[in-house]
Amino acid sequence: MRANKPMLSPIRLHKDLSAIWDTRPGLQRLASVNHTTLGKRFIVTAIVFFAIGGGLAMLIRAQLATSQSAFMEAGLYAQIFTMHGTVMMFLFAIPLFEGFAIYLLPKLVGARDFAFPRLTAYSYWCYLFGGSMLIVGMLAGVAPDSGWFMYTPLSSRTYMPGINADLWLLGITFVEISAICTAVEIAVSVLKVRAPGMSLDRMPIFAWYMLIVAFMMLVGFPPLILGSILLEVERAFDLPFFDPKRGGDPLLWQHLFWLFGHPEVYIIFLPAAGLVSTFLPVFAGRPLAGYIAVVIAVIAMGFLSFGLWVHHMYATGIPHLGLSFFAAASVLVAVPTAVQIFAWIATLAHGTPRFSLPMLYVFGMFFVFVIGGLTGVMLAIVPFNLQAHDTHFVVAHLHYVLIGGFVLPMIGAAYYWLPHITGRRPSRVMSNIGFWTIFAGFNVTFLAMHLTGLKGMPRRVHTYLPEYGWEALNFLSSFGSFIMAIGFAIAALDLLLIVRFAPRSTRNPWKAATLEWAMPIPPPSYNFASLPKIFRRADTLEPSTMAAELAGGMGYLAFTRNGQMETLGVEMVGGNTEQVIVLPRQTYLPLITAATTGVFFLLMLFKFYWLALVAIPLVVICFLFWTRDTGLRADVGPVPIGHGIVAPYHSESADAPSSWAMAFTLVADAMLYASLLFGGLFLWASAPNWPPAELPALGVVLPIGVVAAALAAMASGILALRNVGGAVSIPALALCAACHAIALACLFTLAVTGIPSFTQHALSAVIMVVIIYLAAHHAMGVVFALFGVARMISGKVSARRTLDLRIGNQWHLYTAGANFIGVLFMVGLIAIAGTGAAP
Amino acid sequence: MFPMFAAAGVSGCSGDLSTLSPAGPVAGSIATLWWVMAAGAALIFLIVMVLFLLVWLRPNFGRSFSQRAWILGGGLAFPIPLLVPLLVYSFQQGEILLHIGGPTETPVRIEARARMWQWEFIYLDEDTAPSTVGVLHIPAGALVKVTATSEDVIHSFWVPRLSGKVDAIPGHRARVRFLANTPNTYRGACAEFCGSGHAGMLFSVQVHKPEDYARLIKAARDTSLRASLAQVHP
């Protein structure tokens, strides 16, 4: 093995690594799994969607510039503003920060790639396909038109019979799959795939931000995914979750939407703040002040952001005392935000600030975001909110928050990392003009708009009468918005010119102290020719010296082995070397799988429901193909990583990234489930027309049968793992599959016999969805059990290589728990519904 | 009697939809709240920006406080004493507005029933529950309680010069209480996007002298108002 040979020359090492890691040219680019490549693709695609969303904004402003405008009629205007919000939120903001995180994180924490490169690629394709669905729909004239928060019953089939709303629900859910995948990817990779010695408290601050954001996404996105599923099911199959005549409730949608929607604002803000916390210290010439205070503040924002969603619903008639709780949480979130802002000020105060382009954008962010934060506090105040809610005051506020808290810092970050991404140095003049044009245009547009709102202009009106006195203000806003658009065009052109023509940059042009600069720029596909050992906080390093050492092969893994892509996995908290992670090579599988997933969504969209049902197993089969290249056929034992240290391959490790990925996926899954159960209880407590005329009758035998079968499946999974390598193991897993099948049969019988027509009342509809949820888990349980059998037969499982069985067991355990809770929930809900209406 | 009822609704819509020119105590106290918060926010904004520019442009100024002092001072000591009183005050104000008129005063009860895209107002205090479309009649100086509901999608009842809004949600009945000081006509609008007729879903509120209102209602009681609704306000 090469590992034991003397050190390779840097050039030889570069060639060897490039041969393995580089994305191949031509059409083989579609097979890329490289985080640098995919990060750039995310960023560029997001910028394209930003241009589309910006164009839509211009149409909106053109319409509102004068009273009684005849430019667009109401229906078209509704499509335009719905798409503007949808594109900017789901297709621009989230993917843009994901792109930066994907590009930067492995480099910042000293790894060669993320833990699951193919998942990153799958995530990109889902985003691209889902986003394209929406844009194609818009060009075909059937864009969603119920507003970007899709309130029911306006978005229900009765009032929106076309496919416009389906396009939103399916397209956005497709894109959300991408977000969930990225969240799992980021959480696992930050926790497990870092340079040796990088303990949690030595991580660069951006890794902390993204770790917290990833968890927020895992918890925050499932409520919206569930809401979208329920609404799509209502539209497609008439299950009345949101129809008040049949025990549903439009308010359920609002709760699910804002349970996602408010954390979403922080999910967008925090990554941008994390990038500022990374580059602001470079220009201050000293490390970030209050590292621990900032981490605590970010965690606090993460928690509090989940307690604010009702402040979007003050006018719905919730009791004042209840509102006050949410008002308090909404106001108090200003405290950790202030800690964050003053940590930046403290860093500047104790440094020697240098003026530069990224810092100009930081100035813009301070100016704009502070105003947005202050109007946010105002809107949290209940009486004021009741006046300002749903007016242009809110439109102005949210643009101050999102442009100040996201767009401006992201452009600053783009200028900062541009030398890294392109190897070229930004120029000054045009960039400055771009900034000031955006800044002036923005404030003219949106400062005036606060007043427009206070003067009573509601959101989403396509026309207004001259005597309302809104015309001058609206004209000013429209004028400003075109200035702003010109500014964005200048900035875009500037970036393009830099990418194309700017002079080459020196390495580490800003004199940064973080790891991503300890490599040539633009970066090689493998990032680091050898992996560093970290001895102190990773924002106080000397990348210039490290770059030469690492390229010279003085770190770990300074060799290639069997043509494998290798990086190191560490013990989560302490950062000690734990395993050698072998990453998958370039493959078309993510593209094929995403395309198959897309086929499912298209079949749903065009109402081929039975065919869509067939597409689901096809997606599962695609994913099963992913496992062909993974795992070892024999025990290998620890392998050398250089410097006389050895570590096992990840498939032999007791703590491989994939089992964490399963754990985090189950967190998101559990949130989806919890949202569903909350939905059922909420309908019982809040919806009119309860109880239903006819109650579902589950009986005793079938529910007990389901729980017993699920427990037996779990037990046989554990038995198989205990006896791995023995004779009992394969039969035990076969039994596990059989138990899942029995549970599936019980649930099917229950659905057919126990549930009176589920289109009649929301109670039956909710129970039906719980049953389908459990059934889907048992079906996947069969897949996991049989997969374990296949892996054992093919020799990929041994007493040392139990990863596949452990992942399966996580699933069996979760399924058993979900069944237990599900049966209790169903029986309980029917019982309390039977006793009459809620208090 | 009845034609007058109607004609007054169409003509003479004085005033606009501005929350900043309140015409009743509820909207009035919220407008005051806004001005107080706006002044406070402007001051806070100035302080933060001045500090930001000072530490940037005058390095020695910033070093006179420790980093810890900056973070704890700016992050905790600065916002908390401002936010807590604001919360307490606004909670109190919310309670006052919510229970305006107190438990003793009997409000004039109106149901605002929304549908795509018009408002029907039902006068619940009268036995025949007469109703009007597109125009709401109330007495000046009397406490009014509007209960909003909807027959189709979600709308929102809003008369900016009198009070904050309340959503009209199918299957729900949310309430808002307010008073109008003097006889006049005010505009109202639907504040929640409700489809292509959203922008045109306007109504007016006619505030009458109490004796005029009593006369109007008495006349309305005797007339079969519901039957002639369509002619009143299409």
Side-chain angles (χ1 to χ4, degrees):
Chain A
M1 214 181 277
R2 278 228 185 88
N4 301 324
K5 287 183 184 170
M7 222 187 275
L8 297 167
S9 82
I11 294 171
R12 181 65 201 279
L13 184 55
H14 169 71
K15 283 192 172 155
D16 284 0
L17 284 166
S18 296
I20 298 173
W21 288 82
D22 276 5
T23 298
R24 309 277 181 270
L27 274 181
Q28 296 183 70
R29 287 194 175 91
L30 301 177
S32 177
V33 290
N34 184 275
H35 80 98
T36 299
T37 309
L38 290 164
K40 287 193 280 189
R41 284 184 194 169
F42 262 98
I43 293 171
V44 169
T45 313
I47 292 173
V48 170
F49 280 117
F50 180 68
I52 296 173
L56 296 171
M58 292 301 97
L59 296 179
I60 294 174
R61 284 320 315 171
Q63 170 79 7
L64 296 181
T66 55
S67 62
Q68 292 174 303
S69 167
F71 176 49
M72 281 187 270
E73 43 81 34
L76 179 61
Y77 184 73
Q79 291 195 17
I80 300 294
F81 73 71
T82 301
M83 282 300 285
H84 169 68
T86 304
V87 167
M88 288 304 198
M89 282 295 196
F90 295 100
L91 307 182
F92 162 65
I94 298 171
L96 183 68
F97 81 69
E98 287 174 350
F100 271 85
I102 290 167
Y103 180 89
L104 283 174
L105 271 178
K107 301 180 178 81
L108 274 166
V109 298
R112 283 179 174 156
D113 207 320
F114 272 143
F116 312 106
R118 293 180 301 188
L119 194 65
T120 319
Y122 176 71
S123 166
Y124 175 74
W125 296 118
C126 285
Y127 158 49
L128 182 68
F129 295 160
S132 305
M133 263 170 73
L134 281 160
I135 301 300
V136 170
M138 180 174 73
L139 295 177
V142 289
D145 50 359
S146 341
W148 81 273
F149 34 80
M150 292 288 289
Y151 274 6
T152 54
L154 183 62
S155 55
S156 301
R157 195 171 56 180
T158 320
Y159 304 101
M160 293 282 169
I163 67 166
N164 311 49
D166 303 307
L167 197 59
W168 192 96
L169 295 167
L170 296 166
I172 292 303
T173 303
F174 200 1
V175 177
E176 303 279 81
I177 292 177
S178 156
I180 294 280
C181 290
T182 310
V184 170
E185 174 85 283
I186 290 173
V188 176
S189 300
V190 167
L191 287 173
K192 292 300 294 182
V193 192
R194 306 192 299 262
M198 189 184 282
S199 52
L200 281 185
D201 57 349
R202 287 179 185 161
M203 285 203 305
I205 193 76
F206 184 62
W208 271 110
Y209 279 88
M210 287 314 301
L211 180 62
I212 294 155
V213 166
F215 281 121
M216 289 171 71
M217 289 166 80
L218 290 176
V219 177
F221 281 45
L224 176 62
I225 296 177
L226 177 86
S228 301
I229 292 172
L230 294 187
L231 183 50
E232 184 54 32
V233 166
E234 176 177 298
R235 291 178 56 86
F237 309 112
D238 202 27
L239 272 65
F241 301 104
F242 307 105
D243 178 2
K245 294 189 191 75
R246 292 178 285 164
D249 192 340
L251 285 182
L252 173 60
W253 171 265
Q254 296 194 14
H255 281 290
L256 292 174
F257 187 90
W258 291 118
L259 199 48
F260 146 83
H262 205 90
E264 151 92 343
V265 177
Y266 291 84
I267 288 170
I268 290 174
F269 165 65
L270 287 175
L275 293 176
V276 171
S277 291
T278 306
F279 71 72
L280 180 139
V282 174
F283 295 107
R286 57 161 302 125
L288 181 69
Y291 177 92
I292 292 175
V294 170
V295 171
I296 293 171
V298 175
I299 293 174
M301 278 188 255
F303 270 102
L304 281 173
S305 71
F306 283 92
L308 317 182
W309 81 93
V310 171
H311 78 215
H312 299 265
M313 301 169 62
Y314 282 168
T316 58
I318 296 168
H320 186 236
L321 197 63
L323 295 185
S324 301
F325 167 78
F326 290 96
S330 310
V331 165
L332 289 181
V333 80
V335 173
T337 314
V339 169
Q340 162 74 87
I341 284 175
F342 277 88
W344 290 329
I345 292 184
T347 310
L348 291 173
H350 281 251
T352 39
R354 277 186 285 156
F355 208 84
S356 73
L357 197 62
M359 284 306 282
L360 195 55
Y361 277 94
V362 169
F363 160 77
M365 175 191 78
F366 261 81
F367 188 98
V368 174
F369 183 68
V370 169
I371 294 180
L374 290 167
T375 53
V377 170
M378 295 179 191
L379 283 169
I381 300 301
V382 180
F384 177 71
N385 179 287
L386 293 176
Q387 281 286 31
H389 175 65
D390 267 335
T391 68
H392 274 71
F393 187 91
V394 173
V395 180
H397 156 73
L398 75 92
H399 284 89
Y400 265 85
V401 169
L402 291 174
I403 299 213
F406 183 73
V407 177
L408 295 179
M410 290 309 275
I411 302 178
Y415 277 113
Y416 176 78
W417 275 286
L418 209 58
H420 193 283
I421 298 172
T422 64
R424 292 171 195 273
R425 178 106 220 208
S427 63
R428 265 291 177 72
V429 182
M430 192 160 157
S431 319
N432 280 332
I433 297 173
F435 170 79
W436 287 110
T437 318
I438 295 172
F439 184 75
F442 172 83
N443 283 297
V444 169
T445 306
F446 291 105
L447 203 59
M449 200 181 282
H450 290 104
L451 192 56
T452 319
L454 290 174
K455 284 172 83 86
M457 182 163 171
R459 284 172 92 165
R460 298 170 173 182
V461 292
H462 72 290
T463 185
Y464 54 91
L465 296 173
E467 64 255 37
Y468 297 164
W470 303 333
E471 197 157 26
L473 288 167
N474 269 304
F475 185 79
L476 191 63
S477 287
S478 296
F479 173 73
S481 76
F482 282 87
I483 305 271
M484 178 167 50
I486 292 168
F488 279 122
I490 294 173
L493 185 65
D494 185 40
L495 292 175
L496 215 61
L497 290 176
I498 292 167
V499 170
R500 203 73 191 81
F501 300 112
R504 308 292 300 178
S505 167
T506 51
R507 281 193 187 185
N508 196 7
W510 313 107
K511 307 282 169 278
T514 40
L515 262 178
E516 83 275 28
W517 298 102
M519 61 181 69
I521 54 173
S525 52
Y526 51 82
N527 289 347
F528 302 97
S530 62
L531 297 176
K533 169 97 180 162
I534 303 299
F535 295 99
R536 52 177 192 268
R537 215 170 84 188
D539 57 355
T540 56
L541 304 171
E542 285 157 15
S544 303
T545 0
M546 291 177 82
E549 291 170 6
L550 297 176
M554 289 169 73
Y556 299 106
L557 292 180
F559 49 80
T560 58
R561 173 162 40 206
N562 313 331
Q564 292 171 158
M565 292 180 169
E566 292 183 355
T567 191
L568 289 177
V570 297
E571 173 249 322
M572 200 175 273
V573 179
N576 301 314
T577 312
E578 187 182 70
Q579 53 191 302
V580 176
I581 298 171
V582 181
L583 298 174
R585 300 290 300 267
Q586 295 82 355
T587 162
Y588 294 103
L589 276 172
L591 174 59
I592 295 167
T593 313
T596 316
T597 314
V599 168
F600 165 77
F601 281 106
L602 285 176
L603 289 170
M604 284 297 293
L605 183 65
F606 293 111
K607 307 189 195 303
F608 296 112
Y609 300 123
W610 290 106
L611 281 175
L613 215 54
V614 180
I616 296 175
L618 286 181
V619 175
V620 174
I621 289 168
C622 283
F623 274 114
L624 286 172
F625 271 102
W626 291 35
T627 63
R628 281 205 315 179
D629 304 338
T630 62
L632 301 164
R633 286 189 190 277
D635 291 348
V636 176
V639 292
I641 62 166
H643 297 276
I645 300 174
V646 294
Y649 281 128
H650 73 272
S651 23
E652 291 184 3
S653 163
D655 203 29
S658 5
S659 59
W660 284 104
M662 177 53 98
F664 295 151
T665 308
L666 289 175
V667 167
D669 192 10
M671 263 316 286
L672 188 84
Y673 193 38
S675 306
L676 173 61
L677 303 186
F678 159 80
L681 288 171
F682 176 81
L683 289 180
W684 164 71
S686 161
N689 296 318
W690 276 62
E694 189 185 2
L695 289 173
L698 302 180
V700 181
V701 179
L702 287 172
I704 291 178
V706 172
V707 173
L711 285 173
M714 180 184 82
S716 36
I718 294 171
L719 185 68
L721 181 60
R722 286 257 172 87
N723 293 282
V724 72
V728 196
S729 202
I730 290 181
L733 270 189
L735 179 65
C736 172
C739 290
H740 279 301
I742 292 170
L744 205 52
C746 290
L747 286 168
F748 182 77
T749 320
L750 201 56
V752 173
T753 60
I755 318 293
S757 176
F758 43 79
T759 57
Q760 298 296 312
H761 195 273
L763 172 62
S764 298
V766 167
I767 302 248
M768 194 67 195
V769 174
V770 172
I771 288 176
I772 292 171
Y773 176 88
L774 296 175
H777 280 72
H778 285 299
M780 278 309 293
V782 174
V783 174
F784 274 109
L786 295 181
F787 173 68
V789 172
R791 295 289 269 193
M792 280 199 270
I793 291 171
S794 66
K796 285 194 170 173
V797 174
S798 75
R800 194 181 254 170
R801 289 169 286 125
T802 56
L803 180 58
D804 295 319
L805 297 193
R806 280 183 282 133
I807 290 176
N809 278 0
Q810 285 174 288
W811 187 269
H812 305 313
L813 174 65
Y814 176 81
T815 305
N819 269 279
F820 186 69
I821 292 169
V823 166
L824 277 184
F825 169 82
M826 291 191 284
V827 172
L829 188 64
I830 294 167
I832 53 176
T835 60
Chain B
M1 207 68 217
F2 183 63
M4 185 212 92
F5 210 101
V10 183
S11 63
C13 254
S14 70
D16 51 18
L17 286 151
S18 178
T19 62
L20 303 179
S21 43
V26 175
S29 75
I30 298 177
T32 311
L33 175 65
W34 150 253
W35 289 116
V36 171
M37 290 197 301
L43 192 66
I44 295 170
F45 171 72
L46 279 179
I47 292 173
V48 174
M49 285 315 291
V50 165
L51 287 177
F52 177 71
L53 293 175
L54 272 180
V55 298
W56 195 341
L57 306 173
R58 296 259 177 284
N60 293 327
F61 160 78
R63 285 198 199 93
S64 45
F65 304 97
S66 71
Q67 291 193 344
R68 179 182 289 261
W70 274 111
I71 294 174
L72 294 183
L76 303 177
F78 179 38
I80 291 178
L82 292 170
L83 294 175
V84 171
L86 175 65
L87 265 179
V88 172
Y89 169 71
S90 69
F91 177 71
Q92 261 185 342
Q93 197 196 19
E95 284 291 303
I96 291 167
L97 296 184
L98 198 70
H99 302 296
I100 193 160
T104 45
E105 192 174 340
T106 323
V108 176
R109 293 182 306 132
I110 312 277
E111 178 177 317
R113 181 175 286 244
R115 66 179 80 91
M116 287 167 149
W117 288 279
Q118 59 177 208
W119 292 94
E120 180 180 358
F121 301 102
I122 304 171
Y123 302 85
L124 299 174
D125 291 330
E126 309 309 314
D127 305 333
T128 54
S131 73
T132 51
V133 171
V135 54
L136 166 64
H137 298 271
I138 56 170
L143 180 65
V144 178
K145 185 171 93 175
V146 171
T147 305
T149 188
S150 167
E151 292 176 359
D152 40 48
V153 304
I154 299 176
H155 306 271
S156 192
F157 172 91
W158 189 33
V159 188
R161 298 190 60 194
L162 296 181
S163 92
K165 50 189 76 69
V166 63
D167 288 350
I169 303 167
H172 288 267
R173 300 172 68 81
R175 288 158 199 88
V176 62
R177 291 153 73 101
F178 58 86
L179 290 101
N181 290 338
T182 50
N184 202 340
T185 305
Y186 303 102
R187 286 181 194 277
C190 173
E192 184 68 63
F193 179 65
C194 53
S196 56
H198 172 52
M201 199 171 157
L202 304 163
F203 60 96
S204 63
V205 180
Q206 283 197 16
V207 182
H208 305 274
K209 286 183 200 144
E211 56 272 25
D212 289 350
Y213 178 77
R215 213 162 52 229
L216 277 168
I217 283 295
K218 184 174 179 308
R221 204 186 297 152
D222 304 336
T223 324
S224 175
L225 258 176
R226 275 179 177 281
S228 43
L229 278 179
Q231 302 149 27
V232 184
H233 279 286

